Amino acid sequence: MELKKDSNAVSIDMLLIVHSEKRRAAQGAHSDRQADPGAPPQRRGGLQGVGNGIRRWQKLERNELHGNLVEKQHPQQTQVITSYDNQERRGWIGVVGSTRTLGEVRGRGLLLSPKPTGTQLTVEVHPQDAMPQLLKKFSLAKRFQGDKNGNTRPRQPGGKDAHAYPWDRSSLKSMPLDLRQFEKLDTYASQVTVKSGLDALVSDLLQEAHSDLERVRAIWIWICHHIEYDIEAAQEKDRQAFKPTTILQTQKTNCDGYAGLFERMCRIAGVQCMTVPGYSKGFGYQPGQSFSGEFDHAWNAVFLEGRWHLVDSTWGSGLVDSTTSKFTFLYNEFYFLTHPALFIEDHFPDNKNWQLLKPPQSLRQFENNMYHKSEFYNKGMLSAHPQTSIIKTVNGKVTVTIESCAPTLFMFMLNGKQEHGLLSLRKNGMKLDVYPPTVGTHKLQIFAKGNSEIYSSVLEYTLKCHYADIDVRLPAELHQPVGPSWFSEQMGITKPSHPEPVIYTSDGRCSVSFSVEEGISVLASLHGDDGPVTEETQRRYIFQLQWEKRTELKVQLPHAGKFALKIFVKKRQEPGNYVFVFNYLLCCTNSKVNWPVFPESFGNWGQENELLEPLSGVLPANRNVPFKLKLHGVAKALVKGQDTWPLTLNREGYWEGSCSTAGCQEVYVMVLENANHNFYSYILKYKVNAQ
C-alpha cells in the first residue's frame, strides 16, 4: 500500500471494492417495477406526444452522469464511483479502477478488506467541498462539479418536495410566480443567438438573470424558442444526434435531447437539474390505453429555493400536426414549473419519487385517470365530469360538464362533426348532452376558446354506446351553444322568456321574446332536416315583432319534429354581417301540425309595428280577408290585390279593413309615410292559394 499526501487529500493505492448498502437500498426504491436483467435498456422519447424510442445523448458523452452510479460496468474499463457519508456528510470517496476489487463503505468510515485476487486501483479521501485530484485528470471532472455551491450530486426528492394530490386548485405552478416579472427576461432570452459553444451561450443567457429561478427561466425560454423537434430522428431508432454540440448546430432534437440539453445548460449555470424518463400521454395517445415496455418520453426536474420542480421543454416548445407530421413552434407556458398534481396527468416517471406527490400515483391510476390537456388549464378550466376517459352511454345519452374559473366559450365534435349534441353555456362552465347516432365506439372532443380567437382541444373522451335512441334525432343545423347564456347577454340579448335551451310545443306554435340593447338588430331563422323548410322559407316561419326594448319571435312549425331556431345580432351602425349568438331546440310531437309560412316583410316594416291578422302568409282564394295591424309613423295604409282597399285607424291605434282575394295571386300591405307625398311603400306580402 502506497500513501500519497498533500494539503487537501490522501491518495491510497490498494485493492478495493465499494459496496454502499445505502446506495443499493436507494436504487431498490428507485423503480416501481422489477427489471428483467436480460432485457435491453428502455428507450424513451416523444413530443407532446410523438411516441417513439429514444437514445441517451449521454452515451455519446460517455458516462456524463448526475453524480450517480454508472449503470453498466465492464471489466477492464476505468470507472468513477462517488458516494456520500449520509449521516454527517464529512466527505466523499472517489474510486478509480476495475470493478473486480473488494471493500465496503459503511457509516462514517471506510472499511478495507483485502483479498488475494483483484486489480490495482487508487482511492482518494478528501473533504466533500474539495475537487477530487484524481477526477481532474478526466474529462468527466467538469460534469461532477455539480452546481455553483459545490454539490456534486443533487439530492433525491423527499417529503419536503411533495405536493398534495389531488390538485387543490391553488395554482398551475409548483411555486408562487408572477409571470409579468419575466417579461423583460423572456424577450431577451428568446433573442439570444448561438455564437460559439454551449458555455458561451449559457453565459450570454445569464446576462439578464440574477437568481437561480431567472437562470432556469432564461434557459427554458431559449430552448423552447430555438430547438425544433426532430421528427425524422425520432422515427429513426438508430440515429443518435443528441449531443449538446450537435443540437446547437442543427437546432433539432427529440425529447431526450431536449431534456439532456436543459440539464447540461442548468448545470453550467450552477443550478441542480436531473433528467427524468417515463411514460407520457402525448401525440398518438388514446384514452384508456395502457403503458408498458420502453419509456416514451423524458423531461427534467430542477432544484429551486430548496425544492424540486418539474419542467418539460419538449412540450413547451410546440406541437406536431397529426395530419402533416410537421412540427410547429407554439410556446406553452404550462410545462414550466408545473404543479405536480397536474403534471402527473400526462407524465409518469420511472421513479415514483419524481412525481413529487403525496400520495404518489400508481401506473394503473395514471392509465385510468382522465387526461386534461394543457389547454384545459391554460384556458381556465378547473374540473370536468365524468373523470374517466371512457364513458358508457345511459339510455343512449352521455352528459359531460366542465367547471371553469371564468365564462368561456366551448364547442364539441363527435366523430369529427358538430352533431348529435346539446351544448349549453353556464356562467362558469358548460353542460353537454351527447346522443350517439349508432351503437359502437365514438370519439368525443371538447374545445374551449378562452381569451384567444382560437378554439383549442381541452378534453377527449371515448364513448361506448350499447343503445342508440333513434327518437332523439337533432337537426344538423343545430349549432352551439343551445339556449341563452352569459354570451347572449354580452351580445346584447337579455331577459329571455325561455331561459332553457329546449322549447316544447303541442300545437306547433310558440312565442319567444327577450330584451335587446339599443342599437342592436336581431335576425332569426328556422332550420329542420325535412322539408318544407328551405333556404328561401327558413325565415318565413318566424314573424318578428318589436315593442319598446323587447323583441318577440312568433314561430309556426310546418310539421312535427325537431327544429333549430337560430338567433343572430348586428350593431346597426356597423358594417358587416349578422353574427350567430345561440339557438333554441324546438320540439313538437303533434303529427297534425301543418302551419304555413308567415307573410313576407320588407325593410319598411317598422320595428314597433305589430301584426294581429292575418298571420298566415298564404291566403285563401275568393275570400274576404280581414286585416288588423299596428303601424307607427304612417299617414295612410291600404291593402292591394286585384283592387285596392284602404285601412282605417281605430281608437286603439290599429289599422283595420278587409280585402277580396278574388282574381289575384298576391296581396300587399302598403303605407304612405308622408301625407305630403303620394309614394306608397310595400311592407307585407301575402300569397293567394290557387283556385
Side-chain angles (χ1 to χ4, degrees), residues 422 424 482-484 498-503 583-586:
L422 296 175
S424 56
V482 181
H498 295 71
E500 296 301 318
V502 182
I503 299 176
N583 43 207
Y584 284 105
L585 175 64
L586 307 184

Side-chain angles (χ1 to χ4, degrees), residues 538-596:
Q538 62 190 15
R539 295 191 59 234
R540 295 287 304 281
Y541 288 96
I542 305 167
F543 197 80
Q544 185 169 326
L545 302 172
Q546 184 99 18
W547 65 90
E548 296 181 352
K549 293 184 178 181
R550 286 190 72 81
T551 294
E552 180 183 5
L553 303 175
K554 292 182 179 293
V555 182
Q556 295 182 164
L557 302 181
H559 55 78
K562 295 182 176 65
F563 298 84
L565 175 61
K566 305 177 76 168
I567 313 295
F568 303 82
V569 300
K570 176 183 177 297
K571 291 185 177 180
R572 298 194 192 103
Q573 303 301 323
E574 294 183 2
N577 299 323
Y578 281 82
V579 177
F580 171 75
V581 180
F582 73 98
N583 43 207
Y584 284 105
L585 175 64
L586 307 184
C587 301
C588 178
T589 59
N590 188 348
S591 59
K592 296 181 180 180
V593 167
N594 184 23
W595 291 105

Side-chain angles (χ1 to χ4, degrees), residues 5 11 19 78 104 161 178 277 287 326 398 437 441 448 486 490 517 538 549-551 559 579 587 632 639 665:
K5 189 174 183 181
S11 296
H19 294 293
T78 299
E104 237 178 336
D161 302 293
D178 182 356
K326 291 185 178 180
V398 162
T441 301
W486 61 266
Q490 182 177 296
E517 290 184 1
Q538 62 190 15
K549 293 184 178 181
R550 286 190 72 81
T551 294
H559 55 78
V579 177
C587 301
H632 296 273
V639 178
Q665 296 178 341

Side-chain angles (χ1 to χ4, degrees), residues 457-469:
S457 177
V458 295
L459 284 179
E460 185 174 314
Y461 288 96
T462 297
L463 308 187
K464 300 288 187 180
C465 181
H466 301 289
Y467 164 74
D469 190 347

Side-chain angles (χ1 to χ4, degrees), residues 1-40:
M1 178 183 298
E2 180 182 357
L3 300 180
K4 299 176 182 179
K5 189 174 183 181
D6 62 21
S7 59
N8 292 322
V10 175
S11 296
I12 309 172
D13 288 340
M14 59 187 297
L15 292 174
L16 180 72
I17 188 168
V18 176
H19 294 293
S20 171
E21 292 181 352
K22 295 179 181 180
R23 178 65 180 174
R24 289 197 298 269
Q27 284 187 325
H30 183 72
S31 177
D32 293 334
R33 294 180 176 79
Q34 289 291 336
D36 180 1

